[in-house]
Amino acid sequence: MNDLLQLKGTFQERPHSGTPVSRNIPLKASSITSDRLKKILSELENLRVFWKKQSIIAGCLVDVCYIDVIAKSNRITGYLSTFSSPANESVVGARFNEFTDEEKGRKHIITHYVSDAIVDNTIKNINACIKLIDENFDGRITYNNIEQLKTVNIDYNRYGITKTAFRSVVVDTHYVEGFKIPDNSANTVEQSIITIYKTDKETKALMSEIGIQIDQSKLLSPTTLLLYPDEIKLLLRKAPYLVAMATEDITKLSLEDIVQDLESKPTMTIPSPKDEPTIGVIDTLFDKSVYFSEWVEFEKMIGDEIPVEAKDFDHGTSVSSIIVDGPAINPDLDDGCGRFRVKHFGVAAQGQYSAFVIMKKIEEVVIANPKIKVWNLSLGADREANKNFISPEASTLDRIQYENDVIFIVAGTNKRTNDTNEKRVGPPADSINSIVVNSTDKSGKPASYSRKGPILSFFTKPDVSCFGGDKKDYVRVCTPTGESLRTGTSYATPWVTRKVAYLIEVLGFSREVAKALIIDAAAEWHNTAEDFHAASFRGFGVVPKEIDSIVKAANDEIKFVINGTAEKWDTYNYNLPVPRHNEAHPFVAKATLCYFPKCSINQGVDYTDTELDVYFGRIDGNGKIKTINDNVQSLEDGVKHYVYEGTAREFYRKWDNVKHIKKVFSDKVRALKSYGDGLWGLSIKTKDRIIKRNSGVNFGLVVTLKEINGVNRINDFIRQCELRGWLVNKVDVSSRIDIYSKAQETVKFE
């Protein structure tokens, strides 16, 4: 097999060079009538009357209902906007409308928090637009009329509106269905975790205004808090419009049934730990009587006043047994990663738990243990993830990972035996930054208890799958009472956790590269109808059993990784020399990009704040990248490329923090035409949804080139890269293990 390569080179960066273009309605769209504007005016006037009667918040919360899944460029700029307060900066929430068909009818509803003055200004502008359209365009304005505004002589001062504001309001009207007062109160349940819309009042003061007294212990984030039934009733009576989302707090664990405890079992032994890496495990309690207990440092995180039973030690002990000594317990599943030490935090008893309390404890232990970079979380809720917002549990994990250099590997949760219908994954398996793992049988098919994605209609969850047992195929674990056979995502997840820890702790990769390597190894070259059907259960694919299949490539493949930081709009390098044969490139390619963005639970379905869009392919005769997946979203080739937002999310994974692109390998593929010097290019385009970041976004990229004739061209690739100024390092696993071992030695000074 070929070694994995690390490429280090210089990336160029540049800001967006495009100039703003005048907005217009689509060419084939219906004209905008003054009657349409009058309907919207009536809705806003009714909203204004409502908000004048309430005094709990100083401004107005307004739902903007759109006609489709809307791109940032087509959001309102004329409505609810002034020069000093653009509409995009007042967004405090986003969700989809209630629809019955999963594939059709999905539309954005975006919530804004604006001042009374801005609503009044919008009403004034609409009145001006109505009068202007009636007097100059006979009550109806078309695409051509809007295009000709720059040459038509209209006295805008007479109507009390600028030409820019008039144009913006008219174009906004095409995309907007209407306005309404937010009301998500129907989603609340007793003893709920509530997320309220962000306003100009701090949450404690806002709740006090309503008559609810809270302290810091009841806050999960600045706008997410725990309320009890009487408090919820008071909130819904006085200010139901404040509720952005709600979820139950007391939750049943999504755990699998015990399949079989073995009567006769061999006595297991294990040497004492030395310098092995430590993985963090957050689970139910751990039993110190098991044979590998010397490898586990256990901290009980539940109060002594809470009664515990023998069953409360079962799940957590079983999970840690795989992480510490999985290959010895399951020789047929040996991954080549060796053993790991564990720091085990028992945060829950088996059965019901408080999601709020557990999330508080998870943040506490991660901050207190900064040396632990990889965390296994095989706990999950029985309830399904919501279609319109990320769960508070997942949001907390995403925030922890954004703020700390850590990664969570999370179980995809299980259906119960009596569940016959498909079921979405349960929190926190809707965490975007985590690697979420589902389970398969030994043939690689989704396990019978698998729950499905995607999350928020298009985020790929689970990320990957791994063998976790099903029917007559089990995973062996060590429980407090001895050896047992189990099935479930809880026992698939630790196998992926072990590999991620090996990549980060032993081989020294960043978490971004480690995640990309795991996903890239799971994603196959071929696509079939069954693959697409199973993707909602298996994610990008099944992670190979052995670590060598992740850190090495086949003899006809060249696999390399690149680390980088995206600072400006375009981070690029057009200097990758892919080998040629007979003046053509005999390769197909795939690439996986991973990054850990800041996420905003308040933004609902528009959850990730930053988008990295990857372009990889040949450099053509005009110096442009011919992308391997025909992505044209941000190409600057002199042609206007319009991609609908829904299409961009579905086919190009827009706003998803994992991008996997490829050219499918089949018998029909042919060598690719070579241009000029035969160079390929990489470009990563960065976009911010709301407010521009203060720092860059780290990314990890894995690229694999597969030679279509089976020829090994890695040496040619290395030589050409070095001639082009790339620093190329072979990932020699044995050497890196030696380096890791040396780094762990204690140096004694005499």
Side-chain angles (χ1 to χ4, degrees), residues 624-642:
K624 306 295 183 182
I625 295 179
K626 293 181 68 69
T627 59
I628 62 175
N629 67 332
D630 301 320
N631 186 1
V632 297
Q633 291 179 84
S634 300
L635 289 187
E636 295 179 311
D637 54 4
V639 179
K640 186 176 181 180
H641 300 284
Y642 189 86

Side-chain angles (χ1 to χ4, degrees), residues 166-184:
F166 171 71
R167 185 171 194 143
S168 294
V169 169
V170 169
V171 175
D172 286 351
T173 305
H174 168 75
Y175 294 103
V176 172
E177 275 192 348
F179 297 86
K180 64 180 182 179
I181 300 165
D183 187 359
N184 300 298

Side-chain angles (χ1 to χ4, degrees), residues 516-528:
L517 281 167
I518 291 290
I519 291 173
D520 191 79
E524 300 173 352
W525 283 105
H526 303 83
N527 278 343
T528 66

